[in-house]
Amino acid sequence: MPSIHDLTTPALLLDPDALQRNIDCMSEALPGERLRPHVKAHKSTTIARRQYEAGHRRFCCATLREMEGMAMAGLGDDLLLANETLDARRLAALDARITVAVDSPATIAAAAKGGVREVLIDVNVGLPRCGCAPEEAGKLADRARRESLEVRGVMGYEGHVVGVAERDQRSDGCAKSMQLLVAAHADVGGEIISAGSSGTYDCNRWATEIQAGSYVLMDTAYAKLGLPFVQAFVVLATVVSVSDRYAVADCGLKALGMDHGNPAIEDAKVLFCSDEHVTFVPEDRPARVGDRIRVVPAHVDPTVAYHDRFHLVRGEEVLDDWMVDLRGW
Amino acid sequence: MPSIHDLTTPALLLDPDALQRNIDCMSEALPGERLRPHVKAHKSTTIARRQYEAGHRRFCCATLREMEGMAMAGLGDDLLLANETLDARRLAALDARITVAVDSPATIAAAAKGGVREVLIDVNVGLPRCGCAPEEAGKLADRARRESLEVRGVMGYEGHVVGVAERDQRSDGCAKSMQLLVAAHADVGGEIISAGSSGTYDCNRWATEIQAGSYVLMDTAYAKLGLPFVQAFVVLATVVSVSDRYAVADCGLKALGMDHGNPAIEDAKVLFCSDEHVTFVPEDRPARVGDRIRVVPAHVDPTVAYHDRFHLVRGEEVLDDWMVDLRGW
């Protein structure tokens, strides 16, 4: 059996037991269609299949490439592009049930012209990003129906509150956002109110389905929220240089999403990252050149997007490789 | 001829005229072997070949994958891995002249055992990253020679000063670092003093060769230094949503290196990026859904590493695709 010492670094390591624990924990809280797993965090149809086997048949994607890959992998029972697109033709060709978020006459026209048949009205519930004004949602739904699109309901992402550290504040913010979404839903109709994330999965009581993705793998940002999910992946790195004040490992800006800040290393203080390096101060025992260390990213999604595979690892044994097969656009 | 309006976004656009202008400008300042172009910024053997054709036959890489790709592309006249590695065996197998940076007994042993024949002693000149203490350089060179390695000289990267905005201060910092490197070189011997970057290419008078890479493409961070190089690449994005206060385009954290901060958009104020989106306030004319906009990254290297190709574009015409073929490790 190959060992982690045989791997080229930097390398994504995936703990299959932690992964399954996270999937099971979420499935217990939100069984079946109560969860619409978001694939954008892991970008892997192999991980999506584990979620499917746990009872979740509806999935959520952020890109056309993710939609295509999920359909090709046979995971297309009910795929939602939780994002606006002008290029809906790529979706209509897929052997899958396709729903697209729309928030404007232009995206409605693109969906209709591209051959997509079902949409959700994307409503802005506070995050300054996509989504129509709540009071416009009903009119957009009417317009979509006039263009012969089936309107399945509404979507609205409370992304501005999902990272709030204090649970009560996070829950209050979620409630305010969902009041807007529920009101819009009354104007729109349909069966679906789609919202939420790993940060609000247990306090969003208004959504009919929660779009959570990061819970499967986790990162240091989500770890601060006191969620019941465990860190299931790390970036393995090799110490390549040691001085009397710090050590340097081969895991840098091109192997880590950096928008949430520096990664973490157990028993060490991270000083900074450069293109191919992380400089850190070991706080327990001295580092030696050749040591393999585990680097925990601050933000899972843009980290995974830099890598082409997960190495499944138990202890130091490499059990399998799972491709990150939904990268690109 | 395909147009940029046919491209899937986000997409890297490369301006071949700006690229050639940057290559020519640098070649005039640092002809032939005075420049050892660093491929880590562009990760493209096609761009490296343009640099080769401009007279630079020696190249510099940050990863084993870059070394392998350059050798396979026939650009292996003189390849320097300007980084430490424990996995030198991968290099010895290449059909190329290979030199590796070493800064410890362990990396010297790895080079010798792996079959690499030539090294530079990597000296720490102030950046808290790789490199031995300057006073250790001579002893390491002796050790390398005892292991039958040819010591070609020294390397030392003044990375802590290359981004200093004020040119005199940048130049002073460079001078201080290079005093350390020149002193170490006196202890080490060999013909090469390798150092520098796009930020110090014109004030580093001590290095025999400058390791510059970013100048070919440029970014907003380097643009602040008043260098004579022009922005040669951007990320093309599509506006997918517009509100009365801002607009949203499909170019986010997974299409941009974010460690230097937000990207720039002409005539607009960038508010923030999320995984697949940039939210911005247009300041000139209103944005419309479907508009194609050009996003200028703050940091070239980790941006390019997210993409698999450059689209060569003149005006709105797409002339060719050049692969980013040196990604991964």
Side-chain angles (χ1 to χ4, degrees):
Chain A
M1 188 76 76
S3 142
I4 60 166
H5 298 281
D6 304 320
L7 296 176
T8 294
T9 53
L12 286 189
L13 303 189
L14 179 60
D15 175 340
D17 305 314
L19 175 81
Q20 196 60 50
R21 185 170 147 193
N22 290 341
I23 290 174
D24 292 345
C25 176
M26 183 64 96
S27 288
E28 198 167 314
L30 299 174
E33 295 184 355
R34 282 281 292 131
L35 182 74
R36 186 186 282 275
H38 210 315
V39 305
K40 77 188 179 78
H42 57 65
K43 284 186 176 283
S44 158
T45 56
T46 317
I47 293 178
R49 194 173 303 282
R50 293 294 180 286
Q51 295 172 303
Y52 190 92
E53 287 163 359
H56 313 295
R57 305 292 166 88
R58 301 176 166 190
F59 284 92
C60 187
C61 299
T63 68
L64 296 173
R65 176 72 194 85
E66 290 169 5
M67 295 285 280
E68 290 170 344
M70 288 291 286
M72 285 189 291
L75 295 166
D77 291 11
D78 187 338
L79 295 178
L80 167 64
L81 181 67
N83 195 356
E84 277 62 29
T85 184
L86 282 302
D87 197 11
R89 281 166 308 176
R90 280 173 64 187
L91 296 175
L94 301 179
D95 180 20
R97 180 177 182 181
I98 302 291
T99 304
V100 173
V102 294
D103 71 352
S104 65
T107 47
I108 288 170
K113 195 174 165 197
V116 165
R117 286 201 294 270
E118 299 183 287
V119 297
L120 292 184
I121 305 299
D122 188 3
V123 181
N124 186 312
V125 294
L127 176 72
R129 206 168 70 187
C130 301
C132 67
E135 60 275 18
E136 301 292 324
K139 275 185 282 184
L140 281 176
D142 295 342
R143 186 179 190 115
R145 291 189 178 104
R146 283 199 303 274
E147 302 223 26
S148 302
L149 293 164
E150 175 74 23
V151 179
R152 297 181 71 190
V154 295
M155 179 187 112
Y157 180 45
E158 68 276 26
H160 56 305
V161 301
V162 300
V164 171
E166 213 276 304
R167 192 182 180 288
D168 286 347
Q169 285 178 28
R170 194 161 75 243
S171 187
D172 287 350
C174 177
K176 286 198 185 76
S177 287
M178 291 305 109
Q179 283 168 14
L180 296 172
L181 190 58
V182 167
H185 179 249
D187 296 340
V188 167
E191 293 180 355
I192 293 177
I193 302 177
S194 195
S197 83
S198 300
T200 54
Y201 84 99
D202 64 343
C203 57
N204 190 325
R205 301 186 306 273
W206 301 270
T208 60
E209 59 179 37
I210 298 292
Q211 298 179 7
S214 300
Y215 77 96
V216 178
L217 298 174
M218 292 296 284
D219 57 31
T220 65
Y222 268 119
K224 289 175 188 152
L225 302 189
L227 305 174
F229 310 108
V230 295
Q231 187 67 33
F233 91 117
V234 295
V235 184
L236 182 74
T238 304
V239 174
V240 294
S241 184
V242 170
S243 81
D244 52 2
R245 289 176 294 134
Y246 52 78
V248 182
D250 61 354
C251 168
L253 305 174
K254 294 176 183 173
L256 294 164
M258 292 299 293
D259 61 292
H260 284 14
N262 283 332
I265 300 172
E266 200 179 6
D267 296 326
K269 184 183 171 195
V270 171
L271 297 184
F272 72 105
C273 292
S274 39
D275 279 341
E276 298 289 355
H277 299 103
V278 54
T279 298
F280 64 101
V281 180
E283 292 181 335
D284 185 11
R285 60 180 188 82
R288 290 165 309 179
V289 174
D291 282 354
R292 297 246 150 161
I293 62 165
R294 287 168 157 82
V295 180
V296 186
H299 193 183
V300 52
D301 306 60
T303 298
V304 171
Y306 270 131
H307 297 262
D308 68 357
R309 69 196 64 201
F310 293 100
H311 302 281
L312 246 70
V313 168
R314 193 171 280 136
E316 300 210 328
E317 275 187 6
V318 181
L319 310 173
D320 201 355
D321 281 5
W322 287 1
M323 300 312 292
V324 183
D325 55 345
L326 300 176
R327 300 201 297 166
W329 298 275
Chain B
M1 188 76 76
S3 141
I4 60 166
H5 297 282
D6 303 320
L7 295 177
T8 294
T9 53
L12 287 189
L13 303 189
L14 180 60
D15 175 340
D17 305 315
L19 175 80
Q20 196 60 48
R21 185 170 148 193
N22 289 341
I23 290 174
D24 292 346
C25 176
M26 183 63 96
S27 289
E28 199 166 313
L30 299 174
E33 295 183 355
R34 282 282 292 130
L35 182 74
R36 187 186 280 275
H38 210 316
V39 306
K40 76 186 179 82
H42 56 64
K43 284 185 176 284
S44 158
T45 56
T46 316
I47 294 179
R49 195 173 303 283
R50 294 294 180 288
Q51 295 173 302
Y52 189 93
E53 287 163 0
H56 313 295
R57 305 292 166 89
R58 300 176 166 191
F59 285 91
C60 188
C61 299
T63 67
L64 296 172
R65 176 73 195 84
E66 289 168 6
M67 295 286 280
E68 289 170 344
M70 288 291 286
M72 286 190 289
L75 295 166
D77 291 12
D78 186 339
L79 295 177
L80 168 63
L81 181 67
N83 195 356
E84 278 62 30
T85 184
L86 281 302
D87 197 11
R89 282 166 307 177
R90 280 173 63 187
L91 296 174
L94 301 178
D95 180 21
R97 181 178 182 181
I98 302 292
T99 304
V100 173
V102 293
D103 71 352
S104 65
T107 47
I108 288 170
K113 194 175 166 197
V116 166
R117 287 201 294 271
E118 298 182 289
V119 297
L120 292 184
I121 305 298
D122 187 3
V123 181
N124 186 313
V125 295
L127 176 71
R129 206 168 69 187
C130 302
C132 67
E135 60 273 19
E136 301 291 324
K139 276 185 282 185
L140 281 176
D142 294 342
R143 185 177 189 117
R145 291 189 178 103
R146 284 200 302 275
E147 301 222 25
S148 303
L149 293 164
E150 175 74 21
V151 179
R152 297 181 71 189
V154 295
M155 179 188 113
Y157 179 45
E158 68 276 27
H160 56 305
V161 302
V162 300
V164 171
E166 212 277 303
R167 192 182 180 288
D168 286 348
Q169 285 177 28
R170 194 161 75 242
S171 187
D172 288 350
C174 178
K176 286 198 185 77
S177 287
M178 290 304 108
Q179 283 168 14
L180 296 172
L181 191 59
V182 167
H185 179 248
D187 297 338
V188 166
E191 293 181 352
I192 293 177
I193 301 177
S194 195
S197 82
S198 299
T200 53
Y201 84 100
D202 64 342
C203 57
N204 189 326
R205 303 185 304 275
W206 301 269
T208 60
E209 58 179 38
I210 298 292
Q211 298 179 6
S214 301
Y215 77 96
V216 177
L217 298 173
M218 290 297 284
D219 56 32
T220 65
Y222 269 118
K224 290 175 187 152
L225 303 189
L227 306 174
F229 310 109
V230 296
Q231 189 66 33
F233 91 116
V234 295
V235 184
L236 182 74
T238 304
V239 174
V240 294
S241 184
V242 170
S243 82
D244 52 1
R245 290 175 295 134
Y246 52 78
V248 183
D250 61 355
C251 168
L253 304 175
K254 294 176 183 173
L256 294 164
M258 291 298 294
D259 60 292
H260 285 14
N262 282 333
I265 300 172
E266 200 178 7
D267 297 326
K269 182 182 172 196
V270 171
L271 296 185
F272 72 105
C273 292
S274 38
D275 278 342
E276 299 288 356
H277 300 103
V278 55
T279 297
F280 64 101
V281 180
E283 292 180 334
D284 185 10
R285 59 179 188 82
R288 289 165 311 178
V289 175
D291 282 354
R292 297 247 151 161
I293 61 165
R294 286 167 158 82
V295 180
V296 186
H299 192 183
V300 51
D301 307 58
T303 298
V304 171
Y306 270 131
H307 297 263
D308 68 357
R309 69 195 63 200
F310 293 100
H311 303 280
L312 248 70
V313 168
R314 192 171 281 135
E316 300 210 329
E317 275 187 7
V318 180
L319 310 173
D320 200 357
D321 281 5
W322 288 0
M323 300 312 292
V324 183
D325 55 345
L326 301 175
R327 299 201 298 165
W329 298 276

